[in-house]
Structure formats: C-alpha cells, structure tokens
Amino acid sequence: MPSLLSIQNLSVSFNNDGQSTTAVSNISINIEKGKTLALVGESGSGKSVTALSVLKLLSEHTVIKGDILFSPDGATQINLNHIAQKDITKIRGNKIAMIFQEPMTSLNPVLTCGWQVMETLITHQKLSKKQAKEKTIELFTQVELPDPTAIVDRYPHQISGGQKQRVMIAMAISCNPDLLIADEPTTALDVRVQKSILDLIKKIQLQNNLAVLLITHDLGLVADVADDIAVMYKGEIVEQGDAATILNNPKHNYTKALLACRPAANAKGKRLAVLSDFMDNLLLSEGIKNSKLKIKNVEEQTPNPQLQIANPRQPILSVENLQVHFPYSKNFFAKTTSYFKAVDDVSFDVKENETIGLVGESGCGKTTLARTILQLIKPTSGKILLKGKDISNLKASELRAERKDLQIVFQDPYGSLNPRISIGDAIMEPLKVHDLYNNRSERKEKIISLLEQVQLNADHYNRYPHQFSGGQRQRICIARALALQPSFLLFDESVSALDVSVQAQVLNLINELKSTFNFTSIFISHDLAVVHYISDRILVMDHGKIVESGDADQIYFDPKNEYTKKLIAAIPGKKLPLIH
C-alpha cells in the first residue's frame, strides 16, 4: 500500500534575472496516514518551500523537479507536481490543508473569523450559508475557542494570537482533510499556548486519523508529538527516521547542534553551543570533539548554591508600588466607570550589573511594565527610580537627558529599524541626538567598533536592514542600544522569534557584552528556559502582579507558585536527553 504522501527526489529552483537558485535539492520523504512527520531545520533550509511545493503555491517561475505522489484512498496515486492548476484547487484546502506560520497575515483583516471558515465550507462542501455558520460554530467549539458564537462575528484584530491560530486550525480541518501541513504553527506564541496548540493538533489527528507534516526549527518542540523526524539543512535532508531514535541518538552534526543550542541544555553561565561549533566538528568553548559529547538529563541539574548568595550591590533601578490603569468602560456621560489594571502594585529592585528575568504570558503586563519604566507610558501611580532619581515625574527636557542611560532592544528587529536608512546612520542617530563625539568621523569610528563588538564588520556600515538576516538585524539593534553606553538596558522578547541556533548566538553575545559594558538589564520573555539561562533573578508576572520572585535556579528547579509550575511544565523538550 502506498504512503499517503510520498515526495521522491524533489528539487526546487528559483529563476531570477537569468540566475537560478536551488532551494531544495533532491529530497525524499514519506508520510503515513495517521502519523506525524516533523520537518526540522533553520530558516532558509527549504522547509516551507517543500510544503508550498506540495500545494503548488510557488510562483510560476519556479522550477520543480521530482514526484509528489498523493494517495488519499491508499490505492491510486496522484502526482501533484504534474496535475493542472484547476485540479489542485479541488485538493488544496479540501484533501490537503495548511496552517500558515503567521495567522495575522494569513487571515483577511476585513472579513470576520467566522466568514473565512464558512467560505471554505461553502466552496468545498457546497453547504448553504446557514449550514456553514452552524458547522463553523461547531468547529470553533472543537478547537476550544472561548464563546464560539461570539468569535464567529469577530475580526482577527479582536482576538489574541493563540485564538487566531485556533481559527486557522478550524479552517484547516473544516473539510476533514487527509493531510494537514502545519508550518511553524507556534512560533512566538507563549509556551502554554504553544503546548495547547500542539495538544489540539494531536487530539484532532487522533479523532480524524489525520496525517500531519509539522514544520519547525525547534527539535525540542516535536519531542511529544512527532512519530518521525526529517532534519533539513541547506535544502537537503541530512537525517531522518524514528523520532525517539533521532532525539536520543542523533548522528549528524547539524542535528546535534539543533539539540545543543537550546538554553535548557546548558548550565547557567556557560557559553551556548552554536551551529559552527558542530559543523566545524569542534566545540570551541570546551575544546572537545563531537565524538566525546556527553548526554545528560535536565532532571540531573541542581541549583548552583553560588548563584543564591545575596547581591550586596546597590540598585540601579527601583520600581515602587507601580500601577498602570487603562480606561475599560464609560457611562453615558463619557465618564470612565472601570479600569483595566495592566500593572497592579508592582515593586522590585535591579542591582548593579544584575540581569533580572521578567517572565509571563501575553497580556500579563510585561511589555506595559517595560514601556512604563522607559516612560513611553505614564504610570497611574508609584515611583520609578533610576540611580535614586524618580524619573516618573520629570519634565520632557529632563527626561530626554535621562533617556541616554535607559535603552531598549525591541522584539521585532526589522520593525524597529528604518528600512530607508543604512544601519550605520541608524546607529549614528542617537549619537547625534545626544551630541556625543566631536564630528561624523569620530562617530563612524565608534559605530564600526560597536559593529565589531556585536560580531559584524565595517563593511556592513552602508548596508540596509533588508540585506541582513533576522539574527544580524537583532545584533544591529543591540549595537544601537549600546551606542550611548547606557547603565540600564531592557530586552523585550528580543530572541522569541529567532531560530534556536541564532537565538543561542544572540544569548552568547548578550552575556559577552554584559561583561564588556557592565550594564544592568531586564530580560523579558515568555520562555522560562531562556530567562533561566540569561538571568540572575526571575520575576514571574500574571494579571499585572508579580506572583513569584527569587533566584533563577530556585524559580526554575523549585517553583512555589502554581502559575510558575504550569509555565515550567509547558517548556518543550524539557525531558529530552541534552547534549553538552
């Protein structure tokens, strides 16, 4: 009996201005009915191109060679690479469905969530509008959306990221497909939402005997859901087989690198392994060959008592009884009758050269707290003391002088860089605003030095943001934040959307820069494994309040609060054997 989907010797090339670029090179994979195959690799490895080839969603200038054999009945095979466009539309969304990586851009912002699912049912199942709406509400219930009847009439911007992803799943399963392609369905989602989405896909798979092609960059993420794994590197499959075998005994250096790059795999204070260490067949930080790598379980790790010694240094930043309230509802006379308490009576200190981790799910108040510390949002009450000075009540001119000492690295590096100016000018801008150095020549010399410190080079000075990868753009944002030599730096979800290998490089860089520039910092993330690795102490935030705080090891290994325990339990791949 043939596999549900059999990809044989697939190669994909893009033709641009007479030049051909190969994205996928001679790969072969099989997906069985009712099974989950995880296609794992970094951005640019060819994962999404492979998935889009199956559904013929690539441009007409793309050259696709090889066979994509689809057998929904287990007898006859359809070669999707050779059928006409009008025939693939009968399969696309009906027999083979896809959950795209970014639900906000995949959902139409001017159509209600309900209608976007109804449209699929009307097209493929030939249901009436009334029948389609009833079926959509049933699907929204199945994917565990709260108040399905109300969400049918809501627009994408009116629901959360996790809810949007559930709408996409409802749309994908609406026609009972044989194969579901999930392209990075949990990227940048909170760990608990991430776990619930994966659990939901698994539950639906079991109910409908569905085959799933799960595309991701994180091997830890697939540990609990994948039956088989195919590891992709530079357009080629470098390793594939049973999931348990690959996760417990990886053969290829690239697979080992993806496992070792995860922060949970490393003791605090040690350099994270990066891709080049493995691909060069040498762990530079430890001076040992890959053949001598140790395998160790995370449960064997214990808190380091040296990290629990009280820090005698003075606070750089003190937050005292901070409250930030937003108007929630108004009466007939436009008077506010209730408030949403985004930050609710929060107090903490950040000591000199210390890194505080602030962790919590989306909507808990992390970013509001960060923006209030930076005075981008004015507090309702409370104090924010920077080196003993209350900056929450300063005049605009006084605050501008203090901003030099208080910088932020945002979550989205592309969105925080002006695409029309070179990165050299982007870093020079704050130097000019604060009138540092005597002339442009001195400033340029300083910028080149900064670029080299964040592992870029002088040749990058005149390049534009679009000419860099995501990890390189984040390095540029870090260089810009450090240009003013601030005493306090705030990282707001700065590594959440990066590949695990790129994330490891950025985390290593932050640790190196901490010792070079001696800055104090707050590191905000929804990923407790990352926060534990980078932080000295951790604050756990929920519904605007700090529900638990303490030494990083104590919070990670011995949490007291139930909410913290749930966050730790949701960390993907926590029980995997870890490569050091």
Side-chain angles (χ1 to χ4, degrees), residues 399-471:
L399 181 61
R400 184 173 183 176
E402 296 297 329
R403 284 200 190 280
K404 185 171 74 73
D405 224 19
L406 200 63
Q407 293 293 306
I408 185 171
V409 180
F410 291 101
Q411 177 175 356
D412 178 13
Y414 194 78
S416 54
L417 291 171
N418 189 330
R420 297 187 298 173
I421 65 174
S422 69
I423 64 150
D425 288 338
I427 300 172
M428 187 175 291
E429 193 172 27
L431 298 177
K432 291 168 66 177
V433 167
H434 291 278
D435 199 26
L436 297 179
Y437 305 100
N438 295 320
N439 51 52
R440 183 179 178 87
S441 178
E442 287 187 15
R443 289 172 186 146
K444 183 174 181 179
E445 187 178 331
K446 172 64 177 175
I447 291 165
I448 290 172
S449 173
L450 277 169
L451 289 175
E452 289 171 348
Q453 284 177 299
V454 298
Q455 296 164 17
L456 297 172
N457 57 57
D459 293 341
H460 292 139
Y461 183 92
N462 291 313
R463 294 187 188 177
Y464 290 82
H466 73 274
Q467 295 175 292
F468 295 90
S469 68

Side-chain angles (χ1 to χ4, degrees), residues 245-355:
T245 302
I246 286 179
L247 293 172
N248 288 283
N249 189 27
K251 301 297 184 187
H252 196 276
N253 285 345
Y254 182 68
T255 313
K256 292 175 182 178
L258 290 180
L259 282 167
C261 288
R262 297 177 300 122
N266 295 268
K268 282 179 62 60
K270 291 186 178 180
R271 174 184 174 274
L272 287 167
V274 296
L275 186 61
S276 60
D277 297 333
F278 286 81
M279 302 314 285
D280 295 339
N281 205 35
L282 183 68
L283 270 172
L284 299 176
S285 59
E286 301 294 336
I288 57 174
K289 295 289 182 181
N290 283 333
S291 59
K292 297 180 181 178
L293 291 173
K294 290 183 178 180
I295 303 287
K296 181 179 178 183
N297 250 308
V298 74
E299 280 76 14
E300 296 172 14
Q301 296 182 41
T302 54
N304 184 348
Q306 292 180 339
L307 294 174
Q308 298 178 15
I309 300 171
N311 191 336
R313 291 168 289 189
Q314 294 300 309
I316 290 289
L317 181 82
S318 294
V319 174
E320 299 178 359
N321 306 112
L322 191 68
Q323 299 195 54
V324 183
H325 297 171
F326 297 111
Y328 189 69
S329 60
K330 298 183 179 182
N331 60 18
F332 180 76
F333 300 102
K335 183 178 180 181
T336 302
T337 55
S338 64
Y339 292 87
F340 172 68
K341 297 180 180 181
V343 179
D344 190 8
D345 197 24
V346 167
S347 299
F348 63 90
D349 291 333
V350 189
K351 296 172 184 174
E352 187 180 4
N353 304 137
E354 184 181 36
T355 297

Side-chain angles (χ1 to χ4, degrees), residues 358-371:
L358 182 61
V359 68
E361 296 177 290
S362 296
C364 72
K366 306 188 303 294
T367 297
T368 301
L369 175 58
R371 290 176 179 272

